[in-house]
Amino acid sequence: MKNKSNKANLDKGVFGSFNPNAEIFKKLKERQPKWWLLLLEDKELYIDIRKDNYINVYYYGGSLAKIKYKKCFVASIHKKYLGVNDSNSDYTKLDLERLTKKDIEAIKEQIEINYLKDNPEEPGEKKIQGKLILENPNFIDSEFQYNRGAENLRIDLIELSNGKLSFVELKVISDKRLRNDETRNKEIPEIIGQMKKYSEFMNEYETEIVNYYKQLLDLKNDLGISKLSENFILEKTPILLIVNTYNKSTKAREERIEVIENLLKKHKIKYRIEKL
């Protein structure tokens, strides 16, 4: 039984597990349920499709709904976002058929309270991620995951721009993993190994990645999630996107940015720094 379970896990989260003709997608195309139209119309939400044939709906990085199809549409949500305290699990059912605009706004408020930071200079990385996605249609996917046996690879953003598909790792400027501390840690910062791992993955799975995202884009267009479709090639060098959240410039902050940039250039990491 254990061997069967391990095999089932290996079959999940891989390119072969994605089926654009899965029942959940067919039913959405056929029915266009009222709740689905509500989610599509909300400009503060974004919708991602996963390789294991389910759907995630996000509000600035907070999961408003995870939707599957099991003879009917079934959605789950973190119990904190519904104010539920009597469940043994962290997640509880979200009744899609009764979902209203008022319900969605109430859930957003709970995500703000329970998940998102509001410190202007230290906003949560997921809130920044959501802001980038909502403001830039070139970000066509988020939280890409791939099951590599004992290790799950995860990449923050997928960008499609000027005919190139790029994997983008997101970090805020204050993240300690962007540089090494000469007094405590003289080793190469974590981000360097992380970016090299992504590069190896992209070179190894180039064909599979391109085919997967062509199918995914077609499906997103068919479901009304996006209107972006073009021929593209894979940019096999990942991009590090550093968001500068500093409201005020100081000598120490300028020096930190300089040290980070010099380190990234030394290790030939492709990067860009943008203001929030």
Side-chain angles (χ1 to χ4, degrees):
M1 195 73 175
K2 186 177 180 181
N3 289 337
K4 285 185 180 180
S5 176
N6 288 341
K7 185 180 185 306
N9 287 335
L10 289 173
D11 289 340
K12 291 183 177 181
V14 295
F15 293 117
S17 63
F18 177 59
N19 178 12
N21 297 310
E23 200 70 10
I24 182 171
F25 309 130
K26 287 166 63 177
K27 294 297 183 184
L28 276 177
K29 292 176 191 177
E30 289 170 7
R31 283 185 49 194
Q32 289 284 294
K34 181 181 176 183
W35 56 263
W36 178 247
L37 297 177
L38 279 178
L39 297 174
L40 287 177
E41 290 165 2
D42 194 310
K43 301 307 179 186
E44 290 185 315
L45 302 179
Y46 55 97
I47 300 171
D48 284 333
I49 294 170
R50 300 308 182 196
K51 288 186 291 301
D52 294 324
N53 308 313
Y54 65 88
I55 292 169
N56 277 132
V57 183
Y58 293 103
Y59 171 70
Y60 290 97
S63 180
L64 187 138
K66 181 178 181 178
I67 305 170
K68 298 182 176 183
Y69 192 83
K70 300 175 181 178
K71 296 185 178 179
C72 64
F73 292 103
V74 179
S76 60
I77 184 172
H78 199 289
K79 62 184 183 182
K80 285 183 179 179
Y81 304 156
L82 286 186
V84 175
N85 298 311
D86 58 353
S87 171
N88 292 327
S89 169
D90 286 340
Y91 293 87
T92 189
K93 180 181 177 182
L94 177 65
D95 191 340
L96 293 172
E97 297 302 330
R98 296 186 179 182
L99 191 67
T100 65
K101 285 185 179 181
K102 186 176 180 181
D103 294 330
I104 293 173
E105 293 305 318
I107 294 170
K108 289 180 188 177
E109 186 175 339
Q110 289 304 310
I111 291 175
E112 290 278 359
I113 293 168
N114 290 285
Y115 183 73
L116 301 177
K117 290 183 179 181
D118 57 5
N119 183 336
E121 286 211 341
E122 293 186 10
E125 187 179 293
K126 295 307 175 189
K127 187 166 186 176
I128 293 173
Q129 184 186 64
K131 184 176 173 63
L132 290 171
I133 293 167
L134 292 169
E135 292 180 355
N136 185 351
N138 290 333
F139 289 117
I140 61 167
D141 195 17
S142 68
E143 299 298 327
F144 171 90
Q145 293 188 65
Y146 193 81
N147 185 350
R148 304 184 83 188
E151 179 186 38
N152 286 332
L153 181 140
R154 177 182 291 198
I155 299 168
D156 291 321
L157 294 163
I158 306 297
E159 184 177 28
L160 179 55
S161 179
N162 298 320
K164 288 187 177 181
L165 186 81
S166 304
F167 281 15
V168 180
E169 178 64 16
L170 175 65
K171 290 285 185 284
V172 294
I173 193 66
S174 57
D175 196 310
K176 294 179 181 178
R177 293 168 290 183
L178 288 174
R179 53 172 291 185
N180 54 332
D181 187 324
E182 290 297 328
T183 59
R184 292 179 298 177
N185 174 25
K186 295 185 179 181
E187 300 297 323
I188 295 174
E190 182 180 326
I191 189 62
I192 304 301
Q194 195 174 358
M195 298 302 288
K196 288 182 178 178
K197 187 188 299 182
Y198 295 162
S199 182
E200 290 168 2
F201 172 78
M202 295 167 76
N203 280 273
E204 183 179 353
Y205 289 94
E206 177 183 3
T207 301
E208 291 89 341
I209 292 169
V210 170
N211 289 339
Y212 170 69
Y213 273 103
K214 283 182 177 179
Q215 291 183 85
L216 189 70
L217 275 175
D218 286 343
L219 181 57
K220 279 195 162 188
N221 290 337
D222 287 345
L223 293 175
I225 298 171
S226 67
K227 297 178 181 177
L228 188 63
S229 182
E230 60 177 285
N231 292 323
F232 59 85
I233 59 171
L234 180 65
E235 171 56 68
K236 289 184 281 187
T237 301
I239 300 168
L240 175 61
L241 172 56
I242 302 173
V243 177
N244 184 350
T245 57
Y246 294 146
N247 288 330
K248 183 172 68 173
S249 178
T250 67
K251 184 178 180 182
R253 289 175 172 180
E254 289 172 1
E255 288 176 351
R256 175 181 175 80
I257 293 172
E258 184 179 0
V259 168
I260 290 171
E261 289 203 80
N262 288 338
L263 186 143
L264 296 174
K265 289 173 183 175
K266 176 183 176 182
H267 290 277
K268 296 180 172 57
I269 302 298
K270 188 174 182 179
Y271 74 96
R272 62 180 190 255
I273 299 178
E274 297 179 1
K275 286 292 291 181
L276 182 64

